Amino acid sequence: MDGMCGRYAITLPPTAMRSLFGYSEQPNFPPRYNIAPTQPVPVVRQHEGHRQFMLMRWGFIPGWVKDARDFPLVINIRGESAATKPSFRAALTRRRCLMPADGFYEWHRLGQGRQAENRAYLFRRPDRGLFAFAALWETWHSQDGSEIDTVALVNGTANGLMSAIHDRCPVILDSRDFDAWLDPATETQTYSALLRPPPEDLLEMVRIGSAVNKVANDGPEVQAPFDPATAEAPKSLAVTARAKPAARARDDGQGSLF
């Protein structure tokens, strides 16, 4: 199955993020209901033995890339192959991080051709709490001397809930495993064992309307449950297709959310 555009949400206040992730900074990150690739996203990493909050570009660029325009938009990385791919191997070993979230979106395509329908779904914790994607980061140095901190989440095989609409799923880490994932000294077998599907009871799936299809929509209406009375006709799918970032850029499936 092909993934649609990658979108997720962080709507809880910074105090909730600091409480869960344990960093000392006090960033003013406003509620975001429709975060899209290439935008700055909150990341928690380990720096000099302490957890640090940073903003990074959602779109991983390996250090060896000379011109970012010539490299596919990598918004997530397959956990099964990260250790063997030159683009991600070093980051998996030394630059593991967390991407805080309290929801993410996926689309289920039904039918073929012009009659096809894309249904949007929100995945969130039943208690609406925060969780963390396992992610990898890299500082990319451009030829003009500037630096960009970049990040992508790690995905793996879908759990039972996700498999109903997709065969891939983000790796979501238990808070008890944050230290092991963040610490560069953690042994390979230990952090590799964390690359597994989330527990079946961690998330719930809610069908939502089409507002999420447009990046410009970034308010609570994005997560409103699907209402057949106000649903648009399938012709609106043309908007969905245009909203897909990086359709041009596939690197062994790395360019889609899953």
Side-chain angles (χ1 to χ4, degrees):
M1 284 181 218
D2 290 329
M4 293 281 295
C5 46
R7 307 282 175 77
Y8 74 102
I10 306 173
T11 64
L12 293 173
T15 51
M17 291 178 60
R18 282 198 302 276
S19 176
L20 176 61
F21 294 101
Y23 51 80
S24 59
E25 296 83 7
Q26 297 192 15
N28 183 21
F29 190 78
R32 291 292 313 278
Y33 289 83
N34 200 1
I35 300 171
T38 74
Q39 294 177 349
V41 298
V43 170
V44 178
R45 68 172 186 174
Q46 181 167 299
H47 180 65
E48 298 181 349
H50 301 281
R51 293 184 189 175
Q52 179 186 47
F53 175 98
M54 292 185 69
L55 292 178
M56 296 188 182
R57 172 192 185 264
W58 187 15
F60 186 98
I61 308 175
W64 52 262
V65 171
K66 288 190 167 38
D67 189 338
R69 294 172 297 183
D70 296 332
F71 190 74
L73 180 62
V74 177
I75 61 174
N76 65 114
I77 297 165
R78 289 179 178 266
E80 300 93 329
S81 57
T84 59
K85 286 187 174 291
S87 296
F88 314 120
R89 190 166 51 213
L92 180 63
T93 302
R94 299 190 293 273
R95 289 181 291 278
R96 298 183 299 274
C97 61
L98 306 170
M99 289 173 61
D102 53 37
F104 65 92
Y105 309 101
E106 178 54 18
W107 285 255
H108 188 202
R109 184 176 178 85
L110 299 173
Q112 300 293 328
R114 292 169 110 20
Q115 301 302 314
E117 178 185 6
N118 285 312
R119 295 180 176 179
Y121 289 88
L122 164 65
F123 290 85
R124 65 188 179 193
R125 284 177 43 162
D127 65 1
R128 310 294 195 270
L130 281 161
F131 52 88
F133 298 130
L136 306 179
W137 68 274
E138 180 79 77
T139 300
W140 181 70
H141 302 265
S142 70
Q143 292 179 311
D144 65 8
S146 61
E147 295 182 351
I148 305 173
D149 293 317
T150 70
V151 67
L153 61 88
V154 180
N155 68 35
T157 304
N159 65 4
L161 179 70
M162 278 292 305
S163 65
I165 65 169
H166 213 289
D167 58 357
R168 304 295 293 176
C169 182
V171 173
I172 298 175
L173 297 175
D174 188 286
S175 59
R176 293 169 294 187
D177 296 322
F178 288 175
D179 284 339
W181 179 255
L182 292 174
D183 188 351
T186 299
E187 295 185 357
T188 303
Q189 61 266 33
T190 300
Y191 65 71
S192 297
L194 301 178
L195 302 178
R196 57 182 182 258
E200 294 298 337
D201 60 353
L202 180 67
L203 304 173
E204 63 180 6
M205 181 173 72
V206 179
R207 187 179 175 189
I208 57 175
S210 60
V212 69
N213 294 344
K214 294 185 179 180
V215 177
N217 296 334
D218 194 18
E221 73 280 357
V222 167
Q223 297 186 351
F226 174 76
D227 181 357
T230 60
E232 294 183 37
K235 63 186 174 69
S236 65
L237 295 180
V239 175
T240 305
R242 286 198 300 272
K244 292 168 70 173
R248 60 173 179 82
R250 297 249 176 186
D251 177 19
D252 189 28
Q254 305 289 355
S256 62
L257 180 58
F258 304 121

